[in-house]
Amino acid sequence: MSDVVLSLHQLHKRFGALQATNDVSLELHQGEIHALIGPNGAGKSTLIGQIAGNIRPDEGSVFLAGTDITRMSIAQRARLGLGRSFQVSSLAEPLSVMRNVMMGVQALQSHSFRFWKPVARDKELLEPAYEALERMQLSHRAWTPVSELSHGERRQVEVACALALKPRALLLDEPMAGLGPEGSAKLTELLEALKAEVPILLIEHDMEAVFRLADRISVLVSGSVIAQGDSHAIKQDPRVREAYLGNDDA
Amino acid sequence: MTNPTSSGVAEASLAPSADSHFSRKGLVQLTLLGLLLLLPVTAYFLGHIYYVNLASRITIIAMAAVGLNLAIGYGGMVSFGHAAYFGLGGYVAGISAYHAFDFTPFMTWPFSVPGSDNLLVVWLAAAVLCGLLALAIGAISLRTTGVYFIMITLAFAQMIYYFANSWPTYGGEDGLPIYLRNGLPLVDTTNTLSYFLICFAGLVLAMAITSRLMKSRFGAALTMARLNDVRLATAGISPYPIRLIAFVISAVITGLAGALYADLNGFVSPTMLSWHFSGELMVIVILGGVGRLYGPLAGAILFVMMETLLGGITQYWQLFLGLVLLGVVLFAKHGVMGWLAGRERNE
């Protein structure tokens, strides 16, 4: 299929006796939000690590827009268009929001071995970064240090950083983590507006957000994908109900 | 507005709120630099040559610390081996002068390299050799972080120290005298004030380069490598080459200071390569304020003045240095510059 942006092909990863990823294949298509859910210890973090580049799979491959990125570094993947956010915000706190977001623009435009021109007045850097911030409705905070932002705003900055890369695919690791209902609703809205442009692989615990946002859902249990389908199918799937959605009918 | 892409709002928010008015920080910086320039000039015309040389010493040590500050303060690379570059720069000056004085070549195979008593040649050679040495040491050391990085940079510097100690051609542990200070065309470098002014120009240039560098794209990437290298990699920039180039630039600045130091003293010895000196440079950077542009200068002034004034009274002057360092670390985390000029705000 031509509209597959990100695909995982039969990934395996083993830590000693623990099979953390067991034959996982999944695809992210243009224009969709694909949610990955699973109980704690299902191997979500290991899987994200293999997509993002900090963990090498034992077997299998990862493709981004048709390119095999399995052996590439984190930075190479980012330059090819993989944007990601972290479960725990990973930003440079003393720096302004703008300086955090500008990093992605800089990587995209050229190498960083430019030693002379000051960045503070570099419109080539500032304007795309500002645009990414506007998309996340954060432009009014551009010159505020990240350390002065609320938790919810930081989550938005994370996504803006990823957007600055003009990514082909977004990998969002629990973007709603720690957000109240209001912040969660706002971010849900922002992500919904994004998906037409950038497909999103969403790892999320907030089920309300998942069912509202996701076009397709994959359920990971003990390292394997046990079910895949739209939210309706997943809600009905007996294996998922047993493994994940609660044993309350047992 | 004719340009639709830059509306008034965007224009306003595209720049941080600048405080261009003359600030306390600016005043402190100008005072430090002004005193460093004016006091030796005054001393020279009053006939106190000793104080001019003392100022040259402060200036050179400050320049060496400017180099180290680029690695530690701006790059987050705690190098405990910068004496290696300081000493190598010194030995380049010494060895070059030695061969120029003797009319013997430094090497004959595969090509002949003569000595030179021209400072420009000496500085170029010192910069290139220190850069290459730092490239090799950095390429290996930067694969480690934290305490391991500190120890591996120390280990490399100690290797060079013992090598210089045991190589008899250039004096071994006794060191190597420079009988006549290396010269410049049109300038009498043996004149105390001229030489001070050369050192002063070197320091100002090193600080200007650091300042400009840290405002550039490279500086932005280096800052991010220090604060959060995962963020940098996720943004698509590999931290390793950024750090390595910064490490090399840092070493070149310290190495050039070493070359100036050898010519100031007319002498180079393994002491310049020893870990004591690496430690002193670190102390100076911390005293002055880590990652502050004027920190190394403030630190060097404080350090050399204590060494000179207290060292004249008691040989245990380092006890007081220790107390001051303790005070700075405990009560003035941002060093003398943080205390004098206030905290620095990032943008």
Side-chain angles (χ1 to χ4, degrees), chain B residues 123-185:
Chain B
W123 290 340
L124 182 68
V128 169
L129 289 173
C130 287
L132 289 175
L133 180 67
L135 194 65
I137 292 180
I140 297 168
S141 308
L142 284 169
R143 305 213 168 261
T144 65
T145 53
V147 177
Y148 300 100
F149 181 79
I150 298 175
M151 287 298 125
I152 199 167
T153 48
L154 172 65
F156 276 118
Q158 286 302 93
M159 278 166 54
I160 293 162
Y161 169 75
Y162 284 110
F163 179 74
N165 230 336
S166 56
W167 197 14
T169 316
Y170 300 116
E173 62 181 331
D174 295 332
L176 183 67
I178 301 174
Y179 294 112
L180 191 61
R181 185 175 287 165
N182 293 311
L184 275 177

Side-chain angles (χ1 to χ4, degrees), chain A residues 20-205:
Chain A
T21 304
N22 186 14
D23 195 24
V24 170
S25 298
L26 59 86
E27 286 177 343
L28 179 66
H29 297 258
Q30 200 64 56
E32 75 167 354
I33 294 182
H34 189 149
L36 182 70
I37 62 173
N40 287 327
K44 294 193 297 288
S45 299
T46 308
L47 192 60
I48 296 161
Q50 291 169 84
I51 303 171
N54 38 349
I55 300 175
R56 283 272 144 84
D58 297 335
E59 271 176 59
S61 332
V62 182
F63 291 90
L64 179 65
T67 312
D68 187 346
I69 60 167
T70 319
R71 315 230 148 258
M72 285 188 185
S73 71
I74 299 175
Q76 283 172 312
R77 288 169 203 232
R79 282 197 300 271
L80 265 181
L82 182 68
R84 76 163 294 191
S85 77
F86 294 85
Q87 190 175 356
V88 177
S89 288
S90 180
L91 299 162
E93 300 211 350
L95 297 186
S96 67
V97 170
M98 194 60 138
R99 287 292 293 266
N100 275 274
V101 179
M102 262 159 60
M103 227 58 247
V105 182
Q106 181 171 325
L108 202 65
Q109 283 182 358
S110 73
H111 59 79
S112 290
F113 296 107
R114 284 204 196 169
F115 298 95
W116 202 245
K117 190 177 177 188
V119 293
R121 289 185 302 273
D122 193 340
K123 286 221 159 118
E124 275 176 67
L125 283 180
L126 292 167
E127 280 172 0
Y130 192 78
E131 235 167 73
L133 279 173
E134 263 183 341
R135 298 282 298 282
M136 295 314 287
Q137 298 178 7
L138 261 184
S139 43
H140 59 290
R141 299 291 253 168
W143 296 104
T144 311
V146 169
S147 54
E148 288 170 22
L149 296 187
S150 72
H151 180 74
E153 286 172 321
R154 288 180 200 210
R155 314 270 13 172
Q156 285 163 254
V157 176
E158 285 250 328
V159 181
C161 284
L163 281 179
L165 278 169
K166 299 231 180 302
R168 296 175 210 259
L170 277 180
L171 178 63
L172 302 184
D173 190 359
E174 301 200 21
M176 319 282 177
L179 291 185
E182 219 172 286
S184 186
K186 179 170 187 196
L187 194 54
T188 304
E189 218 170 273
L190 290 171
L191 293 183
E192 206 162 30
L194 266 186
K195 78 169 182 184
E197 199 174 327
V198 195
I200 302 172
L201 184 61
L202 177 72
I203 293 88
E204 188 49 68
H205 267 304

Side-chain angles (χ1 to χ4, degrees), chain A residues 8-20:
Chain A
L8 316 184
H9 190 67
Q10 296 176 334
L11 286 180
H12 290 263
K13 182 72 191 178
R14 180 180 276 283
F15 296 111
L18 177 72
Q19 185 78 50

